[in-house]
Amino acid sequence: MAGLRAVDLFCGAGGFALGLKRAGFEIVKSLDFNLAALAVHSANLEEIPRGLLPTLPIIPPWRSKKRPPLRGRLSEHRRVVQHADLMDILSHGPEMATIRPDIIVGGPPCQPYSRAGPQRGDGDWRSALTEAFAIMIACGRPRYFVMENVPELTKSHAYKRVVEMFRALGYGLTETAVDASLYGAAQGRNRWICAGALNDSDGWLLEYLEQYASVRHLTVADELGSAFGATLEDIVIPGRARVTEVQPKTADRKFAREGGHTRLKDRDVQIALRSLPTDRFYFCRPGGAQTPNVRVIRDPSPTVTGKSTGGVGKDYEPRPVDWIDLRKLPQPTFEEFSRLCGFPTDWKWDVPGYRTAVNFSTLLTSASPTQTEIKQMLGNAVAPPLAECIGRAIADHSLARVPTSRSSKCLREGTGDRALHESRDFEVPTAYSDWLKAHRLFKRPKDLSQELSNLRRAKREVAARGLASTRDELAALDRVLQVALAPLNDGMRSSLRRALRDFADWEDQDNARKAELTSQRKARKRDREYGEADAWVQAQLQAEELEARQAQRPLKLGRSKAG
């Protein structure tokens, strides 16, 4: 197929670009602010030639004293791999409008929203880059776009604003959370995907993406082999009883200080006690105080961050109450962590010869990225298998291919019960059947049964999109009839559309009736409350009037018998 032309914003080390390349896309531009990540990106992707990184000192033009700020001068930005500050929309927006790519992808910085950080959200200056991504979409007007980030992004005002921008631009949106372990990577990395298609209905990508999802999660054992790790007997401390929970700390918190930050935790003990006899364990540095260190290879790896590759630490020693020695747990090497994230074994991380700017004035030359930079690149990278699945799903949509059933195209086929993943038939409300009999005048029970069968099928075809109302599903069904159900004859397609439209009409009437009943109920309650208040007021007025009459009544003095 002819490859779609893609621009990768916030490209990092190239995880998204690698996945799109495998899916047949042509990467025409990759932008990022991190020079070390750009060096890794350029060295590994064949379609982006080496040597395109700038050899002269990189001083952003708006900070230069030798010339005025550049605005929209495309001659400054011809490199395929480009060092860019995407906050400078006036420099990169015109270029994006000139390139006019078919698709723009990118993951704006997740640090403002990630649970692994302080979660400053909209108060973090980097949150503005989320809106910068949307402005680049407005400039380039691609047919498709994909924005990737952590699920916590959806709670921010920045995300709500960009969604409004996307809709104003005419994009139909697919907003969904995806787990990389279901799309070819042995890492339980949950990410939020907001994908747009110009002049399409919402939920357009779900049915295409679903076909590439595995029926089970890819595990560490699948990637690193079933012999990786250690058994429970290998890591227990001889002579110590297996306690069912971590003992409480002493008053002076002595146990908390031993071994520094790394120590056996309650979750570690629970995992060990619930393990199977055949389970094998490994060590993975956690992201929080309650996150376990002990992991089982029959599960996917936890989300890999820049700190995941750190070991137990040289100062660690088991506490007197511990019965598991964390030092005996094997830990994946950096190359194995890279494989768990979905990168190929020959991916080059240690790339020599790049320059980085410090404070935009002092240049620091480094022979290769530091280990900290490399680990952070891996933690920030989009899993290439997930990116490939997204790319293939979008390519299928662009070619109007008919989506197939789940896992028939899965890149790394899993096993499991497919029945658990099959969608259930829509349950038709009894009131709707009565409405059909009264308004559509079906003469035979067979006609009514066929109408309800058409409704269930129409609902099933659009169920994966997760739309809020039947009216939205009716708009999406037109697209499904053009693509997925194109082989059907005109009569059957018309019947499906009519069945869903009739149900939408009934649903509108039913909602209006319920709203009217609710309004009447509220009115009666209001009248009752006002009536009770009026009765109380009337009683008070009567009491005050009685008191006034009694006060105005003249005093009658009786005569004494003596008088």
Side-chain angles (χ1 to χ4, degrees):
M1 68 176 184
L4 297 176
R5 301 168 62 252
V7 168
D8 187 7
L9 305 181
F10 311 100
C11 64
F16 218 139
L18 174 61
L20 293 182
K21 174 192 170 185
R22 289 174 172 174
F25 287 61
E26 176 191 0
I27 310 298
V28 297
K29 198 76 171 179
S30 293
L31 302 175
D32 201 284
F33 191 72
N34 188 324
L35 283 169
L38 288 176
V40 175
H41 187 290
S42 180
N44 285 278
L45 296 176
E46 295 178 0
E47 78 278 7
I48 301 178
R50 300 187 188 183
L52 291 178
L53 287 175
T55 57
L56 297 177
I58 299 175
I59 302 175
W62 59 91
R63 300 292 183 91
S64 175
K65 298 180 181 179
K66 297 182 180 179
R67 58 184 177 180
L70 295 176
R71 293 293 181 251
R73 288 181 57 178
L74 304 183
S75 60
E76 297 291 325
H77 308 298
R78 291 300 187 187
R79 303 183 186 92
V80 177
V81 179
Q82 183 181 323
H83 178 265
D85 181 0
L86 292 177
M87 290 287 285
D88 185 20
I89 299 298
L90 292 179
S91 289
H92 302 291
E95 180 184 22
M96 205 57 56
T98 303
I99 295 176
R100 291 303 300 270
D102 299 306
I103 179 172
I104 296 177
V105 301
C110 63
Q111 289 85 351
Y113 320 106
S114 175
R115 287 180 294 178
Q119 288 188 295
R120 296 190 180 95
D122 293 298
D124 193 312
W125 69 269
R126 289 169 292 189
S127 65
L129 289 167
T130 303
E131 295 175 83
F133 179 88
I135 296 173
M136 296 294 279
I137 299 299
C139 294
R141 292 283 288 177
R143 182 180 175 186
Y144 301 101
F145 74 82
V146 180
M147 183 173 70
E148 176 267 350
N149 214 296
V150 294
E152 290 76 14
L153 168 71
T154 58
K155 302 176 183 179
S156 67
H157 292 292
Y159 181 73
K160 294 179 175 62
R161 286 193 292 269
V162 300
V163 167
E164 292 178 0
M165 293 174 62
F166 293 147
R167 295 195 182 281
L169 291 169
Y171 286 95
L173 300 182
T174 295
E175 302 172 84
T176 184
V178 294
D179 187 341
S181 64
L182 290 175
Y183 293 91
Q187 177 189 188
R189 190 181 186 93
N190 292 311
R191 283 298 180 268
W192 185 259
I193 297 297
C194 178
L198 199 58
N199 301 323
D200 209 326
S201 58
D202 288 347
W204 60 274
L205 183 62
L206 289 175
E207 55 205 352
Y208 289 94
L209 186 59
E210 182 73 8
Q211 64 186 341
Y212 291 102
S214 172
V215 295
R216 74 172 180 90
H217 297 273
L218 198 68
T219 67
V220 173
D222 294 328
E223 184 63 51
L224 302 184
S226 58
F228 178 75
T231 63
L232 187 60
E233 296 301 324
D234 294 334
I235 61 178
V236 296
I237 301 176
R240 292 192 183 179
R242 299 184 183 183
V243 295
T244 58
E245 60 182 8
V246 175
Q247 298 296 323
K249 306 177 183 67
T250 58
D252 60 356
R253 301 183 62 83
K254 178 181 178 182
F255 291 164
R257 291 196 304 269
E258 291 185 1
H261 176 71
T262 304
R263 62 181 179 85
L264 192 67
K265 303 176 183 179
D266 295 333
R267 293 286 305 277
D268 297 327
V269 172
Q270 294 170 9
I271 290 175
L273 292 175
R274 291 200 303 263
S275 63
L276 302 175
T278 57
D279 277 341
R280 301 182 72 88
F281 304 90
Y282 67 99
F283 179 91
C284 183
R285 180 171 287 281
Q290 300 301 320
T291 310
N293 298 290
V294 177
R295 301 286 180 170
V296 186
I297 66 169
R298 58 181 165 87
D299 294 331
S301 163
T303 300
V304 175
T305 67
K307 298 180 180 179
S308 295
T309 56
V312 296
K314 61 181 180 180
D315 297 329
Y316 164 77
E317 289 184 4
R319 299 173 296 176
V321 295
D322 291 345
W323 54 279
I324 292 178
D325 189 348
L326 297 178
R327 295 173 299 187
K328 297 182 179 180
L329 283 168
Q331 181 181 4
T333 63
F334 178 84
E335 289 72 20
E336 289 172 331
F337 271 116
S338 177
R339 289 171 55 190
L340 293 175
C341 292
F343 283 92
T345 55
D346 59 349
W347 190 262
K348 305 178 185 67
W349 292 99
D350 193 0
V351 179
Y354 82 96
R355 285 176 172 271
T356 182
V358 180
N359 296 327
F360 300 105
S361 58
T362 305
L363 289 176
L364 174 65
T365 302
S366 174
S368 61
T370 65
Q371 290 299 311
T372 300
E373 288 176 321
I374 292 176
K375 293 176 181 179
Q376 195 60 48
M377 289 180 212
L378 181 61
N380 292 338
V382 177
L386 172 61
E388 181 180 358
C389 291
I390 294 173
R392 290 183 181 276
I394 292 175
D396 290 344
H397 181 273
S398 69
L399 297 174
R401 289 174 176 166
V402 178
T404 57
S405 60
R406 178 175 178 142
S407 293
S408 62
K409 287 186 177 181
C410 182
L411 299 184
R412 298 189 64 168
E413 183 68 40
T415 60
D417 187 2
R418 293 178 184 270
L420 295 176
H421 305 281
E422 296 294 334
S423 59
R424 298 179 180 179
D425 281 340
F426 172 71
E427 295 183 3
V428 180
T430 304
Y432 176 63
S433 299
D434 298 337
W435 183 85
L436 280 178
K437 295 176 183 177
H439 290 79
R440 293 294 180 263
L441 302 177
F442 289 108
K443 297 181 179 180
R444 298 180 301 174
K446 180 180 179 180
D447 296 335
L448 177 61
S449 176
Q450 182 62 45
E451 183 73 7
L452 297 181
S453 176
N454 291 339
L455 174 62
R456 293 189 187 95
R457 180 172 183 181
K459 280 280 190 178
R460 185 168 60 249
E461 295 296 341
V462 296
R465 301 193 174 205
L467 300 174
S469 68
T470 305
R471 287 294 174 190
D472 295 335
E473 292 177 338
L474 185 60
L477 181 64
D478 290 334
R479 174 67 179 174
V480 175
L481 291 174
Q482 294 174 8
V483 181
L485 302 181
L488 295 180
N489 58 55
D490 293 340
M492 188 61 191
R493 288 193 291 177
S494 177
S495 297
L496 294 178
R497 187 183 292 107
R498 184 189 65 247
L500 194 59
R501 184 179 62 250
D502 287 347
F503 185 77
D505 292 341
W506 171 81
E507 198 173 56
D508 291 342
Q509 295 179 17
D510 188 58
N511 291 336
R513 181 181 60 83
K514 291 179 179 178
E516 180 64 24
L517 292 176
T518 301
S519 177
Q520 294 176 3
R521 192 181 304 112
K522 290 182 178 180
R524 288 195 297 268
K525 181 179 180 181
R526 184 170 58 252
D527 293 342
R528 185 170 58 253
E529 292 174 350
Y530 287 162
E532 293 175 355
D534 290 343
W536 182 84
V537 171
Q538 292 295 334
Q540 289 293 107
L541 292 175
Q542 292 176 4
E544 292 176 359
E545 184 178 358
L546 180 61
E547 291 178 1
R549 289 178 179 177
Q550 291 176 350
Q552 296 174 1
R553 183 180 301 170
L555 181 61
K556 295 181 180 180
L557 300 176
R559 295 182 179 181
S560 62
K561 294 180 179 180

